[in-house]
Amino acid sequence: MNDAPPVTAAFDVQAIRAQFPILTETVRGRPLVFLDSAASAQKPRAVIEAMVHAMERQYANVHRGLHWMSERTTEAYEACRDAAARFLNAGSRDEIVLTRNSTEGINLVAHSYGRGVMRAGQAVLISEMEHHSNIVPWQMLRDAHGVELRVARVTEAGELDMDSVAAHLADGKVGLVAITHMSNVLGSYTPAERIVRLAHEAGARVLLDGSQAAVHRKVDVQALDADFYVFTGHKLYGPTGIGVLYGKAELLDRMPPFLGGGDMISTVSFERSEWARVPHKFEAGTPPILEGIGLKAAIEWVERIGFPAMEAHERALTDHALARLSAIEGVTVIGRAQDRGGVISFTLDRAHAHDVATLLDRQGIAVRAGHHCAEPLMRRFGLDSTARASFAAYTTRTEIDALAEALTRVRTFFA
Amino acid sequence: MSEAFEELRDLYQEVILDHGRHPRNFRRLDGALHAKGENPMCGDKVEVWLKLGAGERIEDAAFQGRGCAISIASASLMTEVLRGKTRDQARSLADAFRTLARTGACPVCDAVHEEDIERLQPLAGVAEYPSRVKCATLAWHAMEAALKGEGSATTE
Ligand SMILES: Cc1ncc(COP(=O)(O)O)c(C=O)c1O
């Protein structure tokens, strides 16, 4: 495996790296080895330039000015919606709600669908491997609206336990299944198509948290038949402050607004207001204009490389990393899902994850350590914390070798 | 490689590794002042016990907990340097230590706490890691909570 050509011919990782200005930075006198892209990815020049261009050449508030600058800015911002619709293969651009991030998208659904459409006595089904942002909004819904919160199990291998999903769906009370499409801790994908099929058979709708998955794999919401799908721009090589919620038109239409304010109404008087049509109904206030323009550039950047090439590259890196890390005595990789992506959590015997991360940082290598906003999952595996290395289009095999060597040094510290 | 090792050593000095691996006074004390400390950011937890003796001086100090090498080593070293201190001295040493952890030095401490601060000096390297400063100060927050009769402290 180590001798196999690491990437397909079409994929030139050095050419990709050259598009990321930050990758020429040094940390503690060494080239930056950035293995924390699952927390937030670095930005290619195309994204930076699109945002700078808007600020320097073409900027005004959107959807309201009748002047040239506002019209042009509105077009540039709204093009993000088209890009997102194409990216997810949504049936219509009106099914794309632009949010601040995944967290806001999930809260929007919990609020508007949860309180507006679900009834007390129904249940929401999540899983043990959710990010806090796909747990807490449902707890808030439970406490405010009398909805039950159920939790599907995760197997020892770190896969979603589909028997557990089926068992929770059996009594027909679950109105919404809200499950991650890829774990930000274990790297496991969940079988989204099967989840949707089972849920629909049981009369439940499905929200998929694509914060991680949408970065690494082509998502087709129509093929999945997902009812809601969220992702967040900053993990997809785009800026912070912009995210996407896809929702089926028939559902968005039935849902009451989330936040009230400008842009989300058609008429306002002191007696009553009428809501703007979907998706604007869910977009109150001045939107993240520059961020939307940046996200469009990010989506186009990803599309230019293409998921087949990116996936092949990341798969080769992940296989290599799993082999290298597992070969280090005392290192345990958490989870061994069949279908997994480039996010690897590990522990080192007799060493705390924070010490591991600090000692790796000392050697110029950025990894994340802690509970990764997934405390219940940590508890599920009897852990307080793990260190996590995660990969992106710009990650190289050499960087993974550097991680393995640095980790070997750390091990001797705590041996 | 040895150069790389040196760079790792300046933060994780032998004292820290040693106290992290073999914490001193890692036990409970009966009938003592007691408080729990928690760092919600990383989940580190310590419990501190202080036994006051004649003249309200700390006669014995002990702790238990789980966390990274820095938080455990800091707690362990703390239980050693607290012995014989009055409440006021313990509090003032905690202030001095927090300055050391935050800034890497405590110029004004020398007069009063010179010897203790020297013992704690190996922890000064955390100043470079703002997110790790709380690991080093966790046990000290708990110690102060115990002195005040408060049951718990957090680093937030
Ligand atoms: C699986 C998953 N869900 C949700 C989120 C939340 O993303 P954001 O903080 O951008 O809303 C993250 C990222 O931290 C994540 O990895």
Side-chain angles (χ1 to χ4, degrees):
Chain A
M1 183 176 61
N2 286 5
D3 297 325
V7 291
T8 54
F11 192 91
D12 178 353
V13 69
Q14 291 309 331
I16 285 182
R17 290 179 70 80
Q19 299 176 48
F20 287 78
I22 205 170
L23 296 179
T24 58
E25 290 295 306
T26 55
V27 171
R28 302 179 198 290
R30 290 195 190 75
L32 168 66
V33 176
F34 188 75
L35 300 178
D36 193 22
S37 296
S40 203
Q42 301 298 347
K43 319 303 174 202
R45 194 168 278 119
V47 169
I48 299 166
E49 282 175 359
M51 295 177 78
V52 170
H53 173 82
M55 281 185 281
E56 289 185 345
R57 315 294 294 263
Q58 205 182 76
Y59 180 78
N61 209 333
V62 295
H63 302 146
R64 42 195 101 185
L66 290 175
H67 50 81
W68 190 92
M69 271 296 175
S70 177
E71 305 271 21
R72 295 295 87 69
T73 311
T74 302
E75 280 167 15
Y77 175 69
E78 284 296 324
C80 175
R81 202 182 306 279
D82 296 307
R86 188 179 63 234
F87 184 68
L88 294 176
N89 193 32
S92 151
R93 70 188 306 278
D94 293 340
E95 295 180 312
I96 300 295
V97 179
L98 297 172
T99 62
R100 267 196 313 140
N101 47 35
S102 291
T103 303
E104 190 180 79
I106 296 167
N107 275 277
L108 193 160
V109 175
H111 189 93
S112 295
Y113 188 79
R115 297 187 194 199
V117 179
M118 288 183 75
R119 299 177 311 278
Q122 283 193 299
V124 172
L125 175 61
I126 61 172
S127 85
E128 281 179 325
M129 60 173 152
E130 301 310 316
H131 188 280
H132 292 166
S133 66
N134 197 31
I135 300 174
V136 181
W138 307 114
Q139 287 175 332
M140 292 165 67
L141 175 67
R142 176 194 64 196
D143 297 343
H145 194 62
V147 159
E148 184 193 343
L149 184 56
R150 298 183 179 179
V151 185
R153 308 280 295 271
V154 164
T155 67
E156 202 52 39
E159 293 172 328
L160 182 63
D161 181 340
M162 290 304 288
D163 292 339
S164 174
V165 171
H168 282 297
L169 289 170
D171 65 5
K173 282 192 178 169
V174 174
L176 184 73
V177 176
I179 281 186
T180 190
H181 193 184
M182 175 184 176
S183 163
N184 63 311
V185 177
L186 307 168
S188 327
Y189 286 99
T190 57
E193 250 168 284
R194 271 180 69 207
I195 295 169
V196 173
R197 189 158 21 85
L198 280 180
H200 286 175
E201 281 166 15
R205 299 294 186 168
V206 179
L207 176 148
L208 293 168
D209 174 1
S211 305
Q212 298 293 335
V215 180
H216 302 289
R217 179 171 274 197
K218 175 67 193 163
V219 173
D220 181 333
V221 288
Q222 293 189 79
L224 291 174
D225 200 19
D227 299 294
F228 299 103
Y229 197 97
V230 297
F231 72 87
T232 193
H234 66 96
K235 294 184 202 279
L236 188 73
Y237 311 99
T240 52
I242 181 97
V244 169
L245 162 66
Y246 160 83
K248 282 183 182 161
E250 39 145 345
L251 296 175
L252 293 179
D253 280 336
R254 282 162 60 202
M255 288 158 53
F258 177 39
L259 302 174
D263 249 23
M264 53 74 72
I265 37 73
S266 59
T267 62
V268 175
S269 69
F270 285 117
E271 288 67 46
R272 60 182 305 237
S273 299
E274 296 203 359
W275 313 137
R277 58 179 190 80
V278 163
H280 300 288
K281 177 169 83 176
F282 297 108
E283 297 177 357
T286 297
I289 300 168
L290 296 164
E291 292 79 358
I293 289 168
L295 178 58
K296 169 181 175 275
I299 289 173
E300 288 173 350
W301 184 84
V302 167
E303 286 172 335
R304 272 198 301 280
I305 294 171
F307 276 113
M310 213 145 73
E311 251 194 288
H313 171 68
E314 291 176 9
R315 189 172 325 114
L317 291 175
T318 306
D319 288 347
H320 183 56
L322 286 171
R324 290 283 328 242
L325 294 183
S326 310
I328 302 170
E329 211 189 304
V331 170
T332 307
V333 172
I334 313 302
R336 48 195 150 73
Q338 288 292 313
D339 188 14
R340 67 168 305 151
V343 174
I344 301 179
S345 270
F346 58 93
T347 58
L348 177 62
D349 282 355
R350 287 139 62 81
H352 192 282
H354 288 112
D355 296 318
V356 173
T358 299
L359 283 163
L360 290 174
D361 177 73
R362 235 35 210 168
Q363 303 173 74
I365 298 172
V367 299
R368 181 158 175 196
H371 53 54
H372 315 291
C373 300
E375 280 186 66
L377 182 65
M378 292 289 124
R379 234 164 276 137
R380 155 72 184 79
F381 282 94
L383 300 165
D384 291 327
S385 59
T386 67
R388 179 187 76 181
S390 53
F391 315 137
Y394 44 71
T395 308
T396 67
R397 215 176 143 85
T398 317
E399 290 180 307
I400 285 162
D401 292 334
L403 168 68
E405 281 148 30
L407 200 52
T408 307
R409 258 173 244 134
V410 173
R411 193 187 74 83
T412 57
F413 250 77
F414 292 99
Chain B
M1 169 130 171
S2 61
E3 191 193 322
F5 241 91
E6 283 315 302
E7 268 172 294
L8 302 185
R9 273 272 177 248
D10 65 356
L11 184 59
Y12 285 79
Q13 296 182 19
E14 196 48 48
V15 184
I16 295 181
L17 292 173
D18 176 37
H19 279 258
R21 261 194 298 256
H22 310 290
R24 319 296 198 269
N25 304 309
F26 196 84
R27 55 193 156 84
R28 307 164 151 269
L29 293 178
D30 287 333
L33 297 173
H34 167 248
K36 292 180 182 176
E38 181 162 5
N39 180 349
M41 271 297 292
C42 63
D44 284 0
K45 288 186 180 72
V46 298
E47 287 187 67
V48 172
W49 288 267
L50 302 170
K51 191 169 239 163
L52 298 185
E56 288 263 284
R57 282 180 189 274
I58 296 171
E59 189 178 277
D60 199 1
F63 85 103
Q64 286 189 336
R66 40 204 268 172
C68 63
I70 289 174
S71 67
I72 297 299
S74 180
S76 171
L77 284 162
M78 179 186 83
T79 58
E80 291 194 333
V81 298
L82 281 180
R83 305 234 164 140
K85 299 274 184 299
T86 64
R87 285 170 181 264
D88 282 348
Q89 287 170 334
R91 267 193 290 265
S92 136
L93 183 57
D95 282 340
F97 177 70
R98 270 192 295 267
T99 306
L100 180 75
R102 266 201 302 265
T103 66
C106 186
V108 298
C109 303
D110 281 5
V112 227
H113 299 298
E114 190 172 0
E115 226 173 89
D116 296 324
I117 287 294
E118 208 176 293
R119 288 272 292 142
L120 299 167
Q121 193 64 38
L123 289 160
V126 297
E128 216 184 305
Y129 290 87
S131 61
R132 304 299 305 275
V133 169
K134 287 174 178 172
C135 306
T137 56
L138 176 61
W140 295 81
H141 286 288
M143 180 272 285
E144 288 192 289
L147 282 181
K148 273 191 234 161
E150 292 168 1
S152 67
T154 104
T155 53
E156 290 308 294

